[in-house]
Amino acid sequence: MNRKKYYIETYGCQMNVYDSELVENQLIKTGYKQTNSIESADLIFLNTCAIREKAEETVHNRLTSLAYLKKRNPNLIIGVLGCMAQNLKDDLLKDKPYVDVILGPDSYRRIPEIITNRNKELNNIVDTKLSKYEIYNDLFPSRKEGVNAWISIMRGCDKFCTFCIVPFTRGRERSRSIESVIEEVKHAVEDGFVEITLLGQNVNSYRTSDGSFSCLLEKVAQVEGVKRIRYTSPHPQDFDENLLEVMSRYDNICNYIHLPLQSGSNSILKKMNRTYSKEEFIDLVAKIRDYIPGCSISTDVIVGFPGETDADFQDTLDMMKKIKFNFAYMFKYSSRPGTKAAEYDNQLPEDIKQNRLEQLIELQSSITLENNIEKINSVQYILIEKESKKSNNYWSGRTDGNTWTIVKKNKENVKEVIPVKIIDAKGVTLFGEALTKKELLYETN
Ligand code: SAH
Ligand code: SF4
Ligand code: F3S
């Protein structure tokens, strides 16, 4: 029998990438196989993101552009999954009647049943109920070959930062069992993955009756064959010294922390409900650098939050200069209906937000470059991930600190960790030469 084909497109954060892998496994169980050609698919799923208005617009445009496929093949199933499904189901049903299936992030367990029903009766299926318990402990993802395996260890968020839609789209915080995470790590290693990235909207709020996040991290570090471990995103409020202590003890836990700052102004941090002050953030960074000298730190920053004054924005620039993050993801505030900040009456005009974003990007670009230039002549360990896009004579891989590095090919293979002498830095990228054992000895003596 000819198996039906699915095509899935993923928007948003790594948690959505992981969820799409879970969904793929569910579809395979239902008898579907994957296709890369959207034109030939019997089922198209878009796994969506609602974090900023732009993310939603992209998906709306994509859905509009898919209407012709439905006209051509009325049996085609089009589904919207994830955070927009959760948030915008009524709009979708009204504007895009050709969408057949709308599933929120806690409804993926039902996919086999839903698809089978949809193939029998032609009515829309909507399930966007959020669950207090769904953690998919017993569902595993279908991963393609690769270097890094994403593993979700907790779902949801209880922090309610006033700008953020995630607590509404993903529901309450809940953690997977340590046992189920470790089982998945072992599977990933058996399947050839050498790097593990543990995921959660507040990855360090992870807690179970068997232990906290630092306990889980230590157990993952002890799994044989795990060459590198990363995790994202921790919340500054939930950082404890145990975690730093575990990180400093295991070589395979990367010396890298993504630590979202959001703003450098105390009054804005308060309005954002971030629960820390800039002084506490500075202390935390000092503590990190104390436990893990040279630890690479990246961040997220929002400019143009409602009521942000020139002085508040200057505080953010000052913090960036002071902390010197290795790199940063920078965003213009985007008002999300349903969140508290969307109700604030001092929303800023687009040109101010744009201007501040440009200033911030310019500053951070020079800081990133300065940090990278400091690495010239040092030895960095690079995990080779793929051929460089620019030339097949070069590898592309990341340092322990998460900086992409281009290395001239020798006899190495993908998935190997090799010592590299850094010879140049441009923008956000490092360039280096692989060292032989003899050269390494010379360099490190
Ligand atoms: N849980 C993580 C971040 C999740 S969202 C944390 O607490 O840091 C990723 C980033 O998107 C956030 O760190 C924030 O910088 C940005 N973001 C979230 N909501 C936003 C909004 N309404 N407008 C602009 N940026 C936003
Ligand atoms: Fe959003 Fe804040 Fe939760 Fe991060 S911690 S997901 S920014 S509400
Ligand atoms: Fe987007 Fe949902 Fe992730 S809103 S950033 S896909 S949790």
Side-chain angles (χ1 to χ4, degrees):
M1 196 189 85
N2 247 349
R3 282 206 285 166
K4 291 196 167 174
K5 291 184 247 141
Y6 72 83
Y7 176 94
I8 184 160
E9 228 166 63
T10 307
Y11 299 83
C13 63
Q14 289 98 340
M15 271 146 276
N16 258 13
V17 175
Y18 178 85
D19 282 359
S20 286
E21 292 173 347
L22 279 185
V23 167
E24 286 195 53
N25 209 7
Q26 293 286 77
L27 290 169
I28 292 166
K29 270 199 247 166
T30 321
Y32 280 75
K33 66 175 181 189
Q34 193 246 348
T35 175
N36 287 325
S37 142
I38 198 163
E39 305 262 333
S40 74
D42 303 286
L43 176 150
I44 300 170
F45 273 172
L46 304 188
N47 193 3
T48 63
C49 170
I51 200 83
R52 284 170 289 274
E53 202 178 343
K54 249 222 182 101
E56 285 183 356
E57 268 168 29
T58 312
V59 170
H60 279 301
N61 293 340
R62 185 66 173 142
L63 279 172
T64 308
S65 80
L66 295 182
Y68 83 100
L69 287 172
K70 185 79 177 187
K71 272 201 200 110
R72 215 168 63 184
N73 171 13
N75 292 325
L76 171 70
I77 299 178
I78 297 186
V80 173
L81 316 181
C83 294
M84 258 173 92
Q86 189 58 53
N87 210 29
L88 289 178
K89 59 173 186 283
D90 297 334
D91 294 4
L92 284 168
L93 285 172
K94 199 163 81 224
D95 300 343
K96 313 268 187 328
Y98 50 90
V99 171
D100 307 280
V101 177
I102 302 183
L103 294 180
D106 288 343
S107 306
Y108 303 149
R109 190 179 285 280
R110 292 190 56 210
I111 284 180
E113 164 215 344
I114 284 172
I115 299 302
T116 313
N117 283 343
R118 178 66 181 79
N119 277 328
K120 274 195 297 207
E121 314 154 29
L122 290 176
N123 42 16
N124 293 50
I125 293 171
V126 180
D127 182 354
T128 59
K129 275 191 298 295
L130 287 171
S131 157
K132 267 195 213 146
Y133 311 103
E134 182 58 274
I135 194 72
Y136 300 127
N137 251 331
D138 54 330
L139 294 189
F140 292 103
S142 153
R143 289 199 180 89
K144 311 270 156 10
E145 271 179 42
V147 175
N148 173 72
W150 308 107
I151 301 189
S152 257
I153 63 162
M154 52 91 66
R155 300 181 72 86
C157 177
D158 290 350
K159 291 283 190 289
F160 287 93
C161 302
T162 56
F163 52 80
C164 185
I165 197 73
V166 171
F168 304 96
T169 63
R170 295 230 157 209
R172 300 290 57 77
E173 254 173 50
R174 57 224 114 110
S175 300
R176 244 173 108 172
S177 71
I178 293 189
E179 197 190 348
S180 134
V181 175
I182 296 298
E183 191 186 337
E184 196 176 324
V185 172
K186 286 183 179 159
H187 275 308
V189 172
E190 278 164 23
D191 290 343
F193 292 87
V194 293
E195 182 179 87
I196 301 289
T197 305
L198 302 177
L199 299 175
Q201 280 300 355
N202 281 298
V203 79
N204 56 342
S205 312
Y206 176 93
R207 50 183 54 85
T208 67
S209 49
D210 295 326
S212 64
F213 180 62
S214 50
C215 167
L216 175 74
L217 192 66
E218 177 154 24
K219 292 208 162 120
V220 175
Q222 289 166 346
V223 173
E224 192 137 347
V226 177
K227 291 190 182 170
R228 277 188 173 177
I229 306 158
R230 302 184 189 277
Y231 60 87
T232 197
S233 288
H235 191 289
Q237 185 198 328
D238 296 324
F239 240 95
D240 59 26
E241 293 198 23
N242 268 344
L243 176 52
L244 295 174
E245 197 265 326
V246 169
M247 286 183 74
S248 67
R249 251 187 313 118
Y250 287 86
D251 276 349
N252 59 352
I253 306 179
C254 289
N255 292 338
Y256 167 63
I257 297 176
H258 181 64
L259 197 66
L261 167 67
Q262 312 299 2
S263 168
S265 147
N266 279 340
S267 98
I268 296 294
L269 284 171
K270 200 153 192 196
K271 288 180 194 145
M272 285 177 161
N273 189 30
R274 284 296 288 182
T275 68
Y276 51 82
S277 65
K278 72 174 177 197
E279 290 78 14
E280 283 165 333
F281 194 94
I282 291 170
D283 285 351
L284 177 56
V285 169
K287 211 177 262 170
I288 291 171
R289 290 180 170 155
D290 207 28
Y291 270 92
I292 310 163
C295 187
S296 170
I297 306 178
S298 62
T299 199
D300 290 346
V301 182
I302 297 177
V303 298
F305 185 82
E308 184 188 69
T309 62
D310 281 335
D312 292 321
F313 176 60
Q314 191 56 49
D315 282 350
T316 297
L317 294 176
D318 291 345
M319 269 296 262
M320 304 303 274
K321 284 185 208 149
K322 191 172 172 78
I323 294 181
K324 294 194 192 301
F325 294 104
N326 293 72
F327 50 97
Y329 302 93
M330 295 160 279
F331 310 100
K332 279 186 277 186
Y333 169 75
S334 169
S335 168
R336 309 283 60 220
T339 61
K340 227 176 176 175
E343 309 294 315
Y344 294 169
D345 53 14
N346 40 9
Q347 307 282 328
L348 296 185
E350 179 59 26
D351 57 337
I352 292 190
K353 290 196 235 177
Q354 182 62 31
N355 179 284
R356 288 183 184 166
L357 181 66
E358 284 168 18
Q359 285 185 58
L360 183 66
I361 291 176
E362 196 183 321
L363 170 66
Q364 183 56 40
S365 302
S366 68
I367 295 172
T368 298
L369 183 61
E370 193 186 309
N371 277 328
N372 284 348
I373 286 172
E374 265 176 30
K375 301 263 170 356
I376 294 178
N377 287 327
S378 72
V379 176
Q380 300 289 324
Y381 286 83
I382 309 294
L383 170 56
I384 301 174
E385 295 196 28
K386 55 193 175 196
E387 228 167 49
S388 159
K389 272 192 216 124
K390 292 223 175 80
S391 155
N392 56 9
N393 293 325
Y394 289 84
W395 292 120
S396 183
R398 279 176 292 164
T399 63
D400 194 64
N402 212 19
T403 299
W404 281 99
T405 307
I406 307 294
V407 187
K408 195 163 170 58
K409 272 190 189 171
N410 238 322
K411 291 201 190 81
E412 315 78 7
N413 288 309
V414 165
K415 299 183 191 175
E416 265 177 56
V417 178
I418 57 161
V420 166
K421 182 168 177 177
I422 302 302
I423 52 171
D424 201 3
K426 285 196 186 93
V428 293
T429 314
L430 293 173
F431 297 81
E433 279 165 2
L435 293 173
T436 59
K437 276 199 184 120
K438 221 164 124 193
E439 285 166 339
L440 176 65
L441 226 81
Y442 177 77
E443 288 292 338
T444 47
N445 272 331

